[in-house]
């Protein structure tokens, strides 16, 4: 398996450090708008030569990302960027026939006329609207797989299905923002 990791910031760099200890993939291309960040993420890895390489890519440029996926023969696009780049990366993965995974989802937008009374476009709607196309192509996209929501949803579903007869509520506390 060949993975294109887009985003070499804090999350992307953490992914590379965990991935370096795992044998389940053949190569990971670490790409960022700032090539020096991608290079630094790769250089920090022990024995990175051969399995990791750094590239520059503009995450907002769907065509460039699609071309990068093709050039390296990547099977998977792992998105570790800001949520503003979800849709170009999501669409690039689909165009290249790659599996897609992100930690965020397509952004919400307020209702154009009644932003305080009605919901506009909800978080993830732009991706979910394309689910049938992905399914028809036999392609896989795992969206919103960050911590909350995302991984916490997987844990909650497991608890509901396998551990408890009844759940009255689930509360998540986010320690990252100190609230």
């Amino acid at each position: 398996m060949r993975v294109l990791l887009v985003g070499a910031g804090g999350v992307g760099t953490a992914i590379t450090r965990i991935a370096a200890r795992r044998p389940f993939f053949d190569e990971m291309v670490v790409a960022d708008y700032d090539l020096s960040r991608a290079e630094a993420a790769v250089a920090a890895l022990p024995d990175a030569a051969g399995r990791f390489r750094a590239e520059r890519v503009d995450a907002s440029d769907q065509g460039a990302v699609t071309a990068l996926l093709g050039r390296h023969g990547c099977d998977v696009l792992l998105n570790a960027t800001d949520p503003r780049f979800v849709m170009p990366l999501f669409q690039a993965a689909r165009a290249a026939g790659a599996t897609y995974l992100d930690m965020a989802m397509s952004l919400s937008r307020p209702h154009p006329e009644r932003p305080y009374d009605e919901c506009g476009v909800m978080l993830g709607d732009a991706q979910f609207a394309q689910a049938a196309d992905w399914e028809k192509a036999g392609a896989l996209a795992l969206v919103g797989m960050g911590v909350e929501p995302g991984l916490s949803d997987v844990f909650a579903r497991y608890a509901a299905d396998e551990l408890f007869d009844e759940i009255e509520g689930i509360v998540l506390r986010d320690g990252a923002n100190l609230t």
Side-chain angles (χ1 to χ4, degrees), residues 85-169:
F85 303 112
V86 163
M87 289 312 293
L89 295 174
F90 179 75
Q91 292 164 335
R94 183 66 221 106
T99 295
Y100 175 81
L101 176 71
D102 69 27
M103 281 135 289
M105 296 175 89
S106 58
L107 292 173
S108 60
R109 290 189 308 275
H111 190 278
E113 289 86 35
R114 300 176 49 120
Y116 302 107
D117 299 314
E118 294 183 38
C119 185
V121 176
M122 292 191 297
L123 186 71
D125 275 358
Q127 287 171 292
F128 293 139
Q130 297 181 34
D133 295 335
W134 281 75
E135 186 175 351
K136 183 178 176 184
L140 178 64
L142 299 172
V143 301
M145 292 305 296
V147 174
E148 76 292 307
L151 189 58
S152 60
D153 295 340
V154 173
F155 293 157
R157 184 58 191 235
Y158 178 82
D161 291 348
E162 304 293 332
L163 302 177
F164 300 100
D165 293 329
E166 181 179 324
I167 295 177
E168 293 179 19

Side-chain angles (χ1 to χ4, degrees), residues 3-174:
V3 179
L4 172 60
L5 169 63
V6 182
V11 172
T13 298
I15 288 169
T16 63
R17 290 180 180 160
I18 293 167
R21 300 187 309 257
R22 305 290 193 268
F24 67 87
F25 66 95
D26 300 312
E27 181 179 39
M28 181 174 284
V29 177
V30 181
D32 197 278
Y33 186 79
D34 181 348
L35 179 59
S36 66
R37 283 185 5 162
E39 290 170 337
V42 170
L45 302 173
D47 303 321
R51 288 188 67 211
F52 291 85
R53 72 174 63 224
E55 290 276 356
R56 184 197 178 281
V57 74
D58 180 347
S60 69
D61 185 342
Q62 178 185 338
V65 175
T66 302
L68 187 59
L69 284 160
R71 189 164 62 250
H72 290 284
C74 293
D75 313 294
V76 176
L77 190 158
L78 176 52
N79 177 359
T81 66
D82 183 281
R84 293 172 292 171
F85 303 112
V86 163
M87 289 312 293
L89 295 174
F90 179 75
Q91 292 164 335
R94 183 66 221 106
T99 295
Y100 175 81
L101 176 71
D102 69 27
M103 281 135 289
M105 296 175 89
S106 58
L107 292 173
S108 60
R109 290 189 308 275
H111 190 278
E113 289 86 35
R114 300 176 49 120
Y116 302 107
D117 299 314
E118 294 183 38
C119 185
V121 176
M122 292 191 297
L123 186 71
D125 275 358
Q127 287 171 292
F128 293 139
Q130 297 181 34
D133 295 335
W134 281 75
E135 186 175 351
K136 183 178 176 184
L140 178 64
L142 299 172
V143 301
M145 292 305 296
V147 174
E148 76 292 307
L151 189 58
S152 60
D153 295 340
V154 173
F155 293 157
R157 184 58 191 235
Y158 178 82
D161 291 348
E162 304 293 332
L163 302 177
F164 300 100
D165 293 329
E166 181 179 324
I167 295 177
E168 293 179 19
I170 295 175
V171 176
L172 301 176
R173 297 193 183 262
D174 184 347

